[in-house]
Amino acid sequence: MRVLQAMAGARHGGAETAFSDTVLALARHGLSQQTLIRPWPERQAQMAAGGIATGTAPFGGLVDITTRRRFRRAVSDFRPTIVQTWMQRATRFCPPAERAGFVHLGWLGGYYGLRAYRHCHHLAGVTEAIRNHLTAAGWPPERAHVLRTFAVRESDPPVDRASLDTPADAPLIVALARLHQKKGLDVLLHAMVDLPQAFLWLAGEGPLRSELETLCQRLGLRNRVRFLGWRTDRGALLKAADVCAFPSRYEPFGTVTVEAWAHDTPIVAAASDGPRATIRHGEDGLLVAIDDAGALVAALARILATPDLRQSLIARGRERYEAEYSEPAAVAAYLDLYHRIAPHD
């Protein structure tokens, strides 16, 4: 079994993290893989450290002949059993499978149309809701699957609060998100006004950074909010926090949920699609209405003031993580699907 994993992807992002984590986990379990990615140095270094041969391509517009040529060459040289293309752009550039004799598996992290995926043999969504979206759009149910992302449990110690000018005894909230309108971080900043003792670490980059920093200043929060930029020590940040806030307006899945569970951090999330389908309210997390700063304040304050609730949420979250969203669970699901869809002589 040989799998060529292709991802266009931005320099940073949730799908990009899922790609790297999954490919590296599968390599640790002995699967023969190669990758075709954009030439982002950090991702190339990750693949090299995992012993995975990697090709690069620009993955540009529709007239990008360089990527098409390099994709064809990667297929010709590696002779994969399966080509898995992550998201739409990589899928569009995949050469015809029939000519090269591989099975084409497309992966979706959101509710996309089928046009880019029409030449795939199989599709996998990150949630059952995405799988249902595919079949409702006419994709054959027997060729629609679910492949969940997972969280890597980091062994590093918690980030030192003093290193980020945060008192050791202050209630600490962490948010891990791209700085984008969909992520609802403006709602979280408004909520912070009514949590006057709490500090917030906001880890992520994106187009709204300047706007969010201006809002932070206007709300009088500059002394209690830390903009950390993109971080690779997400687990260490979560371990340092008392609670994780996840106020996304739109979230097909949201790996942050399972990252919080993996690192024993209770989570409060807005009830967008992914968190609403994943979190069992009151058992392994708390859900609040989208765009409701008051409800977010109440839920965060409840966790911060109720140690028994906090410990209960942590324990149940850890159970869900181990059973459904750990590396062994994800690898088993991937390998099972690969073996089921691979050609059999």
Side-chain angles (χ1 to χ4, degrees):
M1 171 87 64
R2 296 179 302 278
V3 181
L4 175 62
Q5 306 275 11
M7 158 68 90
R11 188 165 194 162
H12 305 298
E16 291 80 0
T17 299
F19 167 84
S20 297
D21 287 346
T22 301
V23 171
L24 292 169
L26 290 168
R28 286 192 289 271
H29 285 73
L31 182 66
S32 176
Q33 299 172 104
Q34 288 192 10
T35 62
L36 184 66
I37 59 176
R38 280 181 170 151
W40 299 117
E42 299 94 334
R43 195 160 299 130
Q44 289 178 272
Q46 282 182 315
M47 297 300 113
I52 300 166
T54 297
T56 63
F59 288 101
L62 294 177
V63 296
D64 174 7
I65 61 173
T66 298
T67 296
R68 296 188 186 281
R69 184 175 64 248
R70 291 184 184 178
F71 213 143
R72 287 195 301 269
R73 185 186 307 146
V75 167
S76 176
D77 292 347
F78 186 50
R79 300 179 63 82
T81 313
I82 294 169
V83 174
Q84 180 169 340
T85 53
W86 295 67
M87 311 293 277
Q88 296 183 79
R89 188 176 292 265
T91 302
R92 290 195 199 101
F93 280 101
C94 186
E98 288 72 17
R99 191 176 304 169
F102 60 83
V103 172
H104 186 181
L105 171 64
W107 183 92
L108 298 87
Y111 299 95
Y112 309 128
L114 293 179
R115 183 175 180 181
Y117 298 93
R118 64 189 184 278
H119 298 304
C120 294
H121 296 111
H122 294 266
L123 296 180
V126 71
T127 66
E128 188 66 39
I130 294 174
R131 180 187 182 278
N132 293 340
H133 161 78
L134 297 173
T135 58
W139 191 262
E142 67 275 11
R143 295 194 284 123
H145 314 278
V146 177
L147 286 176
R148 295 185 175 117
T149 59
F150 66 98
V152 176
R153 183 183 295 158
E154 299 175 10
S155 58
D156 294 341
V159 170
D160 180 10
R161 291 190 180 198
S163 70
L164 293 172
D165 192 22
T166 302
D169 58 350
L172 176 58
I173 300 163
V174 68
L176 310 172
R178 185 164 180 258
L179 308 188
H180 188 281
Q181 188 271 343
K182 293 178 180 178
K183 299 299 183 178
L185 298 170
D186 54 318
V187 180
L188 178 56
L189 290 178
H190 281 284
M192 288 295 296
V193 174
D194 293 321
L195 295 166
Q197 306 304 314
F199 279 63
L200 171 64
W201 290 354
L202 183 49
E205 276 295 352
L208 288 191
R209 174 150 190 165
S210 178
E211 184 176 323
L212 290 170
E213 288 179 332
T214 299
L215 176 61
C216 182
Q217 177 85 8
R218 181 166 62 83
L219 295 174
L221 298 171
R222 188 175 66 174
N223 292 334
R224 297 192 288 119
V225 176
R226 309 287 180 258
F227 286 84
L228 308 185
W230 181 262
R231 301 281 294 223
T232 58
D233 57 347
R234 294 158 70 90
L237 293 170
L238 286 164
K239 289 178 187 177
D242 295 299
V243 62
C244 175
F246 193 32
S248 289
R249 297 180 170 100
Y250 174 80
E251 200 69 58
F253 174 56
T255 307
V256 170
T257 297
V258 296
E259 287 178 322
W261 286 346
H263 296 96
D264 296 335
T265 308
I267 185 164
V268 175
S272 49
D273 281 359
R276 187 175 66 248
T278 306
I279 293 172
R280 296 168 183 166
H281 176 65
E283 294 185 22
D284 46 41
L286 298 183
L287 294 170
V288 299
I290 295 170
D291 277 328
D292 190 334
L296 185 57
V297 169
L300 292 168
R302 182 182 170 201
I303 290 177
L304 292 171
T306 316
D308 288 348
L309 173 63
R310 185 175 186 276
Q311 291 306 313
S312 175
L313 295 176
I314 288 171
R316 294 302 299 273
R318 172 61 71 91
E319 291 174 6
R320 291 287 308 284
Y321 166 75
E322 295 284 1
E324 302 174 48
Y325 299 100
S326 63
E327 179 177 318
V331 166
Y334 267 84
L335 294 179
D336 175 69
L337 178 58
Y338 287 167
H339 284 288
R340 284 192 286 117
I341 68 176
H344 298 283
D345 295 332

